[in-house]
Amino acid sequence: MKKNDGSLTDAQLRAELNRCEYCEEKPCKAACPADCSPADFIMAARVGAPSDYRRAGALIMGSNPLGWVCGVVCPDYFCMKACSRRTFDQAINIPAVQASVMKRAYDAGLGSFKAPKCNGKPVAVIGAGPAGLGAAGVLAQRGYKVTVFEQRKRLGGMTQLIPDYRLGKKVTGRDIEFTKALGAIDFQLGKAVTDPEALLKDYKAVIVSAGLEEPMRLGIPGEAYALSWQEYLERQKQVAVAGKKVAVLGGGAVAVDCATTAKKRGALSVELVYRRRQQDMPLTAYERDMLLEHGIEIASCSRPTEITHKGKKVTGLRIARMMLPKGKAPRPQNFVVNQKESPLFREFDVVISAIGSRPRMPVKKAKGVFYAGDMILGSATVVESVATGKNAALEADAYILGEKPPRFKN
């Protein structure tokens, strides 16, 4: 299991740095949603002096205000999949290199960028998750006076719910401090905004990155007795799972976080209940390894039809067996009930629903209002959310200046 700061040893980092071919086309940069260039920060860090790490760290943070966080949690299907080394031996472990460089850059005294002279133009950002921080960082570096409204009492959004054993709080906190140190950003914590357009009275533009706050529902009997993934990860210390049988509904990264957290907290058994096949689970190799390491069972091709309970106590799940008709793509809507297999009943003491979430705030087109993050992507990775925040900031900048909207890579 890798460290929760994502870092490599000095020898491991040196080996990975030396493998980079510094391709002229930089396919790794083209594959990064946040337009960060691994080829460039690897070259900057290659000698390994403190000043080299500071320069490399500055390159990363100039593209991605959650540079260390993304180094720890980024999947292997962006930059690594594009790495030219992949075609003749194996891809450079770019996320781990990025995390290692950022750790060493901060240790070497990497400070925040000097903010340019304020242009006096105020912009509001709703939400202080990855997208909101990405937008705020870009706007601050362009001289805007930025106010970030966050309904919670903390910054970082859902990154704060990633379990500590996957992402250390020190990592998230250090990246956030870097953005806060830009100086031109006013963070208003505990301030919920329900009408983005109303802010246009006081701000030149508004960027909405409120995220996915409303857990999705299955619409089955007994669903009220399940915990949402947000509730469980927020309150994991208060939810008693030790010695109990736990079912986690879902098969994505959040479901893995819930399952492994429950096992670490002493659950007798933990089982993922997933509608599609195991090979259809949208997981990285690391996440699959986590399931194996923690002994998490997987009930694939299984759809819950009822959460049974006695009073307020969960007693189990009724499950329909699913199948994918021949010739159909493995999309969720294509799986149908397998009439040849009888429904199942499984005993569980705790059920956690991790099937996804939706935004509470509607997306309404309005002049001067721009949307970012999971509100436009659905459930997405941290780096994808950062990228949409940056894009929204550039759109807002063009709008305020009366320029043509920028074009972004797909």
Side-chain angles (χ1 to χ4, degrees), residues 218 220 247-252 255 271-281 297-307 317-324 331-332 334-338 341-346 348 351-355:
L218 289 165
I220 60 175
V248 179
L249 313 183
E271 189 165 338
L272 288 182
V273 180
Y274 184 56
R275 180 171 182 164
R276 293 189 284 168
R277 304 167 302 179
Q278 285 194 34
Q279 62 263 43
D280 302 321
M281 298 173 77
E297 300 291 334
I298 301 173
S300 57
C301 291
S302 299
R303 178 171 65 85
T305 59
E306 181 183 0
I307 298 173
L317 282 177
R318 297 194 189 282
I319 297 171
R321 296 291 292 157
M322 308 299 288
M323 63 174 289
L324 180 67
R331 300 188 182 96
N334 289 339
F335 282 78
V336 298
V337 175
N338 188 341
E341 293 194 35
S342 301
L344 304 174
F345 174 76
R346 299 291 306 281
F348 292 105
V351 176
I352 301 167
S353 180
I355 61 172

Side-chain angles (χ1 to χ4, degrees), residues 349 354 376 403:
D349 305 303
I376 62 173
E403 298 176 350

Side-chain angles (χ1 to χ4, degrees), residues 96-131:
V97 170
Q98 180 170 319
S100 303
V101 168
M102 285 308 309
K103 181 179 187 298
R104 288 161 174 79
Y106 283 135
D107 289 345
L110 174 66
S112 191
F113 301 129
K114 183 178 180 181
K117 184 178 179 181
C118 183
N119 61 24
K121 298 175 181 178
V123 178
V125 176
I126 300 173

